[in-house]
Amino acid sequence: MDYSPIWISLKTASLSILITFFLGIIAAQWVVNIKNGKVKTVLDSILTLPLVLPPTVAGFFLLYLFGVKRPIGQFFLEYFSVKIAFSWVATVLAAVVISFPLMYRSARGAFEQVDENLIYAARTLGMSEWNIFWRIIMPLALPGVASGGVLAFARGLGEFGATAMIAGNIAGKTRTLPLAIYSQVAAGNMEGAYHYVMIILLISFLVVVGMNYFTAKGRKFLSKETQK
Amino acid sequence: MSLSVSIKKYFKDFTLQVAFEQNGNMLGVLGASGGGKSMTLKCIAGIEKPDEGRIVLNGHVLFDSEAKINRKPQERKVGYLFQNYALFPNMTVEENIAASLSYLKRGKQQKIEEMIRRFQLQGLEKRFPMQLSGGQQQRTALARILAYEPEVIMLDEPFSALDFYLREKLQTELKDLLKGYQGDVILVTHSRDEAYRLCDQLLVLDRGQTVARGDTKEMFRNPQLLSVAQLTGCKNFSRTKILDKNHIEAIDWGIVLQTAESIPSDSDYIGIRAHDFRPAQAEEKNAFPIAVVEKIESPFGWDIVFQTKEQGPKIWWQFSKESSMAKENLPQYLSIAPERILLLRSCGHSL
């Protein structure tokens, strides 16, 4: 059995959730603080678009932007000597773009749930906006943000369509677990596909359990009982 | 200690226009819900921005629309006690107090301990707000605000979230806790009892407009305006026609009454507080026959609803159970002492 899809998938999913997580909360906080209703709606629609587009269409756009002969792709190639399309970086790019809306929407919902009087009170008590965000908004929004993170991670791990378009299916380089499963089945090797399926199931399950445990632990302040 | 506020803020259906000066005492802002009371506090705190005007606190300009000054809430030194106290649910009592101490470089722990002692929160330091009673939450919120050493404290309906028993208890407690505080205090409320008990000075807001301002007791005694009389708890009103210097006809009630003072020419309403009626004989001064419509029992008294003419408006009379009156044996006539009649104007203001 070829183990490389496992490592590629884990690397891709880990790096992409790291990027998606922070991009998602920054975007969410940014949109929450926009006062103009129209601007807010338009921005929200754009940021949510990758969620509703078929992944192949998202992949098509990525290829259109980052292809070797396209402006952005050429820019990276010329100035950083980085070829994005059909490289490992492309798997990360695809996973980030596709999983981003899940993170962004969950975080935005969670931030909007935080009682705004708490934020006002914090301001009148002299707390800086940075402290207000990290010490009040984030802890209170954590369950929503964390579940957004789980969803985004799972989506990134399972990303297939956009990855196939922009990164291709190069064994040992861009072949992630979902692509490996597809390739095994396409080659008529059900046995090989079965192994990969079990691995992806196991990873997904562990992540969800871990996040649930972490969230429950972080919410002890909601219990009415006092700790000894 | 002085606070001077003069602001305007435009809304779709009304304009908030508030102006007052305060010098080191407890000012009550009385008004119906949605009348702009909380909005006024939020403008002073810097949470909302007025469209026009000026706010000056102890010589520091917090807001000036002409000079384009609008200080951040963080720079205003204004303490704001929210209706639900706005304690940070993810922080313990001591962490909540510490949150307001970012202005201190050292001695934070000392300050926290001092506040814990002063507000009798010993033993509760490690508790989260959800694990506190209503009274403990209020004390924590006050401790947090006073630790910040604000130059003015604003209390936004601080008792509305509490049940009746706790409310009365905390009203007295609040007065004690604020005793050592040197700055100005503003209390926003829709409860006349709270305003009367706690505030020396009163500002009455009606649909965003400042309609009256002055000494609390005087305002209850002589409200002058229909809206002020309503907010100070008067229940019975009638349009009037002035007959002569001392006689007035209550048009809605169909009775003529004699007044103690001479009637101002712009008076077009009278008000009579429910507990000011007295049982009387037919020939007495200001006596009128009544037809009882309803008797309502409350814990310590009776509310009698009556009419003075058929199909007339319902009038409320209140008497305590300790008085010699019995509900089975209600008088056929009631009277009102001339000096108890509130002569009112339906429009304008009494500034």
Side-chain angles (χ1 to χ4, degrees), chain A residues 115-132 134-140 218-227, chain B residues 42 45 47-48 73-75 77-80 82-91 95-96 98-102 127-128 130-131 144-145 148:
Chain A
D115 180 2
E116 55 182 4
N117 279 347
L118 295 178
I119 298 163
Y120 296 150
R123 287 195 185 132
T124 61
L125 291 168
M127 278 177 88
S128 65
E129 297 295 328
W130 177 263
N131 271 340
I132 291 172
W134 288 107
R135 295 189 49 207
I136 296 166
I137 300 176
M138 260 313 254
L140 293 176
R219 300 289 279 179
K220 63 175 192 284
F221 56 81
L222 279 185
S223 104
K224 288 225 181 239
E225 272 149 57
T226 47
Q227 278 103 27
Chain B
K42 285 186 172 150
I47 296 165
E48 296 279 348
Q74 281 97 331
E75 299 166 352
K77 278 271 166 195
V78 159
Y80 194 138
F82 285 82
Q83 232 171 81
N84 57 1
Y85 308 132
L87 291 169
F88 307 132
N90 56 322
M91 297 186 194
E95 284 167 348
N96 262 286
S100 70
L101 294 176
S102 46
R127 292 225 195 152
F128 291 103
M130 287 281 279
Q131 302 158 348
R144 186 174 73 173
I145 287 170
Y148 182 57

Side-chain angles (χ1 to χ4, degrees), chain B residues 56-320:
Chain B
V56 184
L57 176 61
N58 295 337
H60 301 287
V61 180
L62 302 185
F63 177 81
D64 190 328
S65 57
E66 271 170 29
K68 298 232 181 316
I69 297 174
N70 184 22
R71 295 227 170 276
K72 286 190 211 159
Q74 281 97 331
E75 299 166 352
R76 293 195 177 200
K77 278 271 166 195
V78 159
Y80 194 138
L81 185 72
F82 285 82
Q83 232 171 81
N84 57 1
Y85 308 132
L87 291 169
F88 307 132
N90 56 322
M91 297 186 194
T92 61
V93 168
E94 54 181 9
E95 284 167 348
N96 262 286
I97 297 173
S100 70
L101 294 176
S102 46
Y103 72 98
L104 279 182
K105 290 258 165 354
R106 60 181 68 202
K108 281 190 192 185
Q109 196 52 42
Q110 249 172 309
K111 187 85 187 174
I112 294 170
E113 279 163 23
E114 179 200 324
M115 287 329 241
I116 297 269
R117 239 178 298 120
R118 187 165 149 202
F119 287 87
Q120 294 148 37
L121 293 163
Q122 293 101 328
L124 305 174
E125 292 93 335
K126 307 279 181 217
R127 292 225 195 152
F128 291 103
M130 287 281 279
Q131 302 158 348
L132 300 175
S133 71
Q136 291 165 341
Q137 287 185 11
Q138 193 186 60
R139 291 210 299 276
T140 308
L142 277 173
R144 186 174 73 173
I145 287 170
L146 283 162
Y148 182 57
E149 297 180 357
E151 296 181 4
V152 55
I153 293 182
M154 308 192 294
L155 311 163
D156 191 355
E157 309 239 0
F159 309 106
S160 61
L162 303 168
D163 53 52
F164 188 73
Y165 162 75
L166 210 54
R167 197 178 303 170
E168 307 230 312
K169 197 167 153 253
L170 286 184
Q171 282 172 4
T172 12
E173 203 179 286
L174 181 78
K175 215 166 182 176
D176 287 341
L177 290 172
L178 289 176
K179 245 176 201 155
Y181 178 68
Q182 297 297 317
D184 298 316
V185 180
I186 302 177
L187 174 84
V188 150
T189 179
H190 62 256
S191 151
R192 59 177 175 147
D193 292 346
E194 252 167 63
Y196 194 84
R197 274 182 211 168
L198 297 169
C199 312
D200 330 300
Q201 295 284 312
L202 212 55
L203 181 90
V204 179
L205 281 186
D206 186 31
R207 275 155 296 175
Q209 302 290 312
T210 314
V211 291
R213 194 168 66 196
D215 182 75
T216 306
K217 302 230 155 61
E218 176 60 25
M219 210 175 285
F220 273 76
R221 206 182 59 74
N222 181 16
Q224 293 186 44
L225 289 177
L226 181 63
S227 53
V228 178
Q230 281 166 339
L231 283 166
T232 56
C234 183
K235 272 186 179 163
N236 306 310
F237 300 99
S238 168
R239 286 173 297 155
T240 55
K241 198 170 110 196
I242 302 170
L243 301 177
D244 62 41
K245 205 163 70 81
N246 285 96
H247 287 87
I248 203 159
E249 183 189 347
I251 301 170
D252 297 325
W253 300 340
I255 54 177
V256 173
L257 297 170
Q258 185 189 336
T259 64
E261 43 190 321
S262 56
I263 302 159
S265 59
D266 56 352
S267 164
D268 55 354
Y269 268 85
I270 56 165
I272 296 176
R273 296 194 190 273
H275 54 259
D276 280 346
F277 291 112
R278 295 282 173 267
Q281 302 298 324
E283 63 281 2
E284 272 179 52
K285 194 201 289 171
N286 279 356
F288 45 87
I290 62 166
V292 173
V293 183
E294 214 181 334
K295 304 169 198 174
I296 304 160
E297 185 170 14
S298 55
F300 305 107
W302 283 93
D303 289 351
I304 308 296
V305 183
F306 65 90
Q307 289 168 328
T308 49
K309 64 177 188 188
E310 249 175 79
Q311 305 301 321
K314 289 177 176 171
I315 307 173
W316 292 71
W317 170 37
Q318 236 168 39
F319 59 87
S320 100

Side-chain angles (χ1 to χ4, degrees), chain A residues 73-191:
Chain A
Q74 265 185 341
F75 172 81
F76 273 97
L77 201 57
E78 268 175 38
Y79 289 90
F80 302 101
S81 307
V82 180
K83 184 169 154 275
I84 292 180
F86 303 105
S87 71
W88 178 69
V89 179
T91 65
V92 177
L93 184 67
V96 167
V97 168
I98 296 296
S99 63
F100 171 82
L102 287 168
M103 187 65 223
Y104 155 73
R105 288 195 80 85
S106 309
R108 185 184 157 184
F111 291 157
E112 280 172 343
Q113 289 291 309
V114 176
D115 180 2
E116 55 182 4
N117 279 347
L118 295 178
I119 298 163
Y120 296 150
R123 287 195 185 132
T124 61
L125 291 168
M127 278 177 88
S128 65
E129 297 295 328
W130 177 263
N131 271 340
I132 291 172
F133 182 75
W134 288 107
R135 295 189 49 207
I136 296 166
I137 300 176
M138 260 313 254
L140 293 176
L142 194 63
V145 172
S147 76
V150 174
L151 285 174
F153 181 83
R155 186 68 189 82
L157 190 67
E159 174 33 45
F160 178 88
T163 312
M165 294 289 286
I166 176 97
N169 185 7
I170 308 162
K173 200 171 159 201
T174 67
R175 181 174 288 172
T176 57
L177 277 169
L179 283 158
I181 293 166
Y182 171 77
S183 306
Q184 293 289 351
V185 173
N189 184 0
M190 292 304 278
E191 183 85 357

